[in-house]
Amino acid sequence: MSQAARMLEDLEMKLTVVSPALVNFVHEIDGDILVLGAGGKMGPSLAKLARRAFEAAGVSRKVVAVSRFSSNQVKAELGSAGVETIEADLMDEEQLWSLPEAPNIIYMAGQKFGTTGREQQTWALNTYLPGRVALRYRRSRIVAFSSGNVYPFVSVESRGSKETDPPGPIGEYAQSRLGGERILQYFSLRNNTPMVILRLNYAVELRYGVLHDVAWAVLRRTPIDLRMGYVNVIWQGDANEVAIRALGLASVPPTVLNVTGPEKISVRWLAAEFGRLFGVEPIFVNSEEDTALLSDASKAHEMFGYPRVRLDEMIRWVAEWVRSNGPSLNRPTHFQEREGRF
Ligand SMILES: NC(=O)c1ccc[n+]([C@@H]2O[C@H](COP(=O)([O-])OP(=O)(O)OC[C@H]3O[C@@H](n4cnc5c(N)ncnc54)[C@H](OP(=O)(O)O)[C@@H]3O)[C@@H](O)[C@H]2O)c1
């Protein structure tokens, strides 16, 4: 086995550790889990985590991953992990309605990057499609991914936006996400469909994410813009576990939940940490503004506990990965963006 293959196998293990709480949860679940838009950065590991949890609980339920599967490799890997796959374009009404019924839907399709210049595509996927899915699966419970970007920037002195704070999306990506949330709320109330809306920022694994982006910038001596001076992150495996267990919180009207880690992380501090581990002095441009995109996820922490992978572990793992020239998805997070253009 090549070194890269070994690294990827180790990463997959780190992303799909099944907690006792997750085993307990899936033990009680009343049917299959259908993951819509499963072919992206998070979906494959979420589907495998759910599969492993069912196996650990000794429960014979299916996990079905639906996506266009732009990557055949992802489809094949899911298949060999025991996840059933269905190739479908959710925007195609006929294909959407021919999907199987399932009591548990995790809805992950969305578009952020490439919005500028193709705004209509983003609005269709993030605002229109949630309505179609809500109607198609009106008799199921639905956990839908949204984004922490629905909030305005808040003071860096604060603990971040809470679920009860008024939204204030900046730019069309963020606005289309809030639009998707409103449409889901409408259909939840209209059809009595229990739902959860997850406002996530930012999932982290070793091939992408804020830590990956900052680590590579430090190592390559690329200047790091400090205007967005603080961020929140969560290990992708922990975010995926919250998404599965959130099926148990589905309600009418939808429960809204911020999903991220407990730390307000200074980008300057983070770069300095990677600099220390690499023996490289980070290069900075600009300085911290008084506001940043920050979420307070204490409601999720009260319900599900703190994320199990700690920030210092994530930093160490990412540093080792980057130092070994580990594979990258080449999908920068653009966490520095302050104008909402993605
Ligand atoms: N990762 C993060 O840190 C983060 C932060 C905030 C919010 N979110 C949101 O959380 C969700 C999951 O995150 P992610 O990082 O996995 O997103 P992602 O990488 O954008 O994955 C979403 C996947 O949905 C699938 N999809 C898109 N249009 C589709 C269609 N018409 N029919 C079927 N499948 C379609 C695509 O896979 P195929 O090409 O296989 O169809 C795409 O890769 C997304 O909505 C994302 O915007 C993520």
Side-chain angles (χ1 to χ4, degrees):
M1 190 188 269
S2 70
Q3 195 207 356
R6 253 199 315 276
M7 288 171 80
L8 288 171
E9 202 176 273
D10 180 56
L11 170 59
E12 180 158 324
M13 297 256 297
K14 287 182 161 83
L15 285 172
T16 55
V17 178
V18 180
S19 72
L22 184 58
V23 173
N24 283 342
F25 175 72
V26 301
H27 212 262
E28 304 305 323
I29 216 163
D30 62 353
D32 298 341
I33 298 180
L34 195 64
V35 186
L36 301 177
K41 299 184 295 299
M42 301 182 70
S45 64
L46 183 145
K48 288 176 197 170
L49 178 65
R51 177 73 256 142
R52 284 191 169 193
F54 279 142
E55 279 159 17
V59 175
S60 77
R61 302 281 188 207
K62 280 196 291 193
V63 180
V64 183
V66 179
S67 226
R68 291 166 307 186
F69 291 113
S70 322
S71 158
N72 272 332
Q73 197 192 334
V74 167
K75 188 177 173 200
E77 280 170 14
L78 283 168
S80 44
V83 174
E84 200 171 290
T85 56
I86 299 176
E87 215 171 301
D89 180 354
L90 298 169
M91 290 293 282
D92 180 311
E93 200 74 2
E94 224 176 283
Q95 293 183 43
L96 176 63
W97 284 84
S98 65
L99 293 173
E101 293 292 339
N104 302 295
I105 305 296
I106 300 183
Y107 177 57
M108 307 187 82
Q111 175 167 304
K112 182 175 189 181
F113 302 111
T115 291
T116 304
R118 289 201 314 152
E119 288 80 0
Q120 74 289 351
Q121 183 71 25
T122 293
W123 282 91
L125 207 60
N126 295 347
T127 312
Y128 167 80
L129 188 57
R132 306 312 300 155
V133 167
L135 196 61
R136 165 68 186 89
Y137 286 105
R138 64 193 178 284
R139 293 192 195 88
S140 305
R141 64 181 69 84
I142 302 175
V143 168
F145 278 76
S146 176
S147 166
N149 281 75
V150 298
Y151 294 119
F153 296 163
V154 292
S155 163
V156 297
E157 304 294 333
S158 77
R159 294 195 57 188
S161 297
K162 281 183 177 298
E163 293 84 348
T164 45
D165 292 344
I170 298 168
E172 292 211 31
Y173 164 68
Q175 290 160 7
S176 73
R177 280 295 187 181
L178 181 61
E181 291 192 6
R182 294 296 186 228
I183 297 291
L184 288 168
Q185 286 165 340
Y186 169 79
F187 279 105
S188 169
L189 287 164
R190 180 183 160 139
N191 295 328
N192 207 28
T193 305
M195 295 188 191
V196 180
I197 292 169
L198 302 179
R199 292 177 175 165
L200 170 66
N201 59 321
Y202 289 99
V204 161
E205 55 113 293
L206 308 182
R207 294 167 301 169
Y208 86 98
V210 177
L211 302 193
H212 162 285
D213 295 354
V214 172
W216 274 112
V218 170
L219 195 65
R220 291 186 173 139
R221 310 219 69 216
T222 309
I224 298 165
D225 188 339
L226 287 176
R227 281 174 300 166
M228 187 73 87
Y230 295 83
V231 289
N232 308 119
V233 303
I234 181 169
W235 180 245
Q236 184 175 290
D238 286 317
N240 283 341
E241 172 167 343
V242 167
I244 299 167
R245 290 171 64 193
L247 285 164
L249 301 179
S251 61
V252 180
T255 299
V256 177
L257 206 58
N258 290 346
V259 179
T260 195
E263 299 91 354
K264 178 169 66 186
I265 306 164
S266 148
V267 174
R268 188 190 290 275
W269 172 85
L270 183 62
E273 281 297 290
F274 284 120
R276 190 175 57 75
L277 292 165
F278 297 148
V280 172
E281 195 63 38
I283 301 171
F284 297 114
V285 287
N286 301 317
S287 54
E288 291 86 349
E289 297 207 1
D290 295 340
T291 59
L293 182 71
L294 292 168
S295 293
D296 178 346
S298 43
K299 181 174 161 191
H301 302 151
E302 273 164 36
M303 286 169 164
F304 300 120
Y306 278 133
R308 280 174 309 142
V309 177
R310 297 188 318 267
L311 179 61
D312 62 327
E313 274 178 293
M314 287 188 257
I315 291 175
R316 191 164 43 78
W317 291 348
V318 170
E320 279 165 19
W321 187 270
V322 166
R323 214 177 357 223
S324 317
N325 201 21
S328 167
L329 296 181
N330 293 317
R331 296 202 210 161
T333 52
H334 297 285
F335 70 88
Q336 310 90 329
E337 177 59 41
R338 293 189 67 89
E339 310 299 325
R341 283 191 298 262
F342 296 102

